[in-house]
Amino acid sequence: MILDGKKIAAEIRGELRKQIEALRAEGKRAPKLAIVIVGNNPASETYVNNKLKACAEVGIEAVKIAYTADITEQTLLAEVHKLNDDPSIDGFIVQLPLPGHIRETTILSAIDYRKDVDGLTPANVGRTVQGLPSIVSATPRGIRELLARYNIQTEGKHVVVIGRSNIVGKPIAMLLMQRPYLSLPNMSAASLGDATVTICHSKTRDLAAICRTADIIIVAAGSPGLLTADMVKEGATIIDVGINRVDGKLVGDVDFENVSRVAAHITPVPGGVGPMTIVSLLQNTLQAYNEHSR
Ligand code: NAD
């Protein structure tokens, strides 16, 4: 079965639109997101435009703040502080990657965790790890929501995560191994968390043997064709996070054609995790508005 992220994301956008309409009907202002973009990386431009479009669709007000690539770290930091202090902004993101002369960790660490709707600040990550109320980063939140909406349980399951990045591998591993007390708003009732998680990376020995023991495999490596059918147990669930361009075509990290014959559930690329990531940003923005709007 295909886990249709495009369809589920559209459903969630419909739910968000209704929730925001209800807020407006009570005379409240719309939630507001700011997106800071530096330079003119074409992929970043596309991502930002998709995010702006998605905001408009659900009634979230969104502003784009664009800087040229030669901006100093100090000026960007001043923008972050300005957004932190602006009561009309519920959440904001700084689109990554940033130019080489700007330290991403310095910028991300300066974002007020209550407005950190990308969930990438050390404060939010730390809170997530300790099971405190937090904003979960968009891709892991989207993966969790997709599993929940298809009623795929994780309790006691062996989940193998391939990739150990701060934005995908580490946080999704953390979320799925936790006790499910850390419930996200608007989640369905599926029991998520309580999994036994193995994190694999580029130095892992015998990846195939580890994968063959997995009930759920989450691949976020950025390596097309990495997960092949011989690495997958019959009936497993496969979440393909990878986005790669091969011969002008968008592909994931999974040999979809062959793996889909063995797996019980699988996400396509495009149309799987990607749309869920964008909708998670919208959910995070509404969460920040509900929890902290002044
Ligand atoms: P990254 O690019 O920072 O790192 C890749 C990780 O994969 C590393 O931890 C590395 O150790 C591991 N890895 C690479 N090759 C491997 C191999 N052959 N075997 C085992 N492990 C290997 O990770 P990222 O930023 O999480 O991105 C991963 C992929 O996910 C990229 O293709 C990226 O474009 C995509 N992505 C998609 C979304 C989405 O919304 N769909 C969001 C974020 C990232």
Side-chain angles (χ1 to χ4, degrees), residues 47 139 162-165 167-169 200-203 207 220-223 226 240-244 253 273-274 277:
Y47 290 138
T139 305
I162 308 177
R164 56 180 162 186
S165 72
I167 62 168
V168 187
C200 299
H201 47 77
S202 50
K203 300 283 188 280
L207 181 66
S223 174
L226 175 63
D240 188 354
V241 185
I243 301 179
N244 311 288
D253 290 346
V273 175
T277 295

Side-chain angles (χ1 to χ4, degrees), residues 162-163 207 219-231 244 252-255:
I162 308 177
L207 181 66
V219 200
S223 174
L226 175 63
L227 192 79
T228 50
D230 60 308
M231 298 164 79
N244 311 288
D253 290 346
V254 176
D255 171 8

Side-chain angles (χ1 to χ4, degrees), residues 54-73:
C55 283
E57 209 185 312
V58 301
I60 291 177
E61 202 184 321
V63 287
K64 176 175 159 185
I65 301 168
Y67 285 102
T68 53
D70 58 2
I71 186 180
T72 63
E73 189 177 279

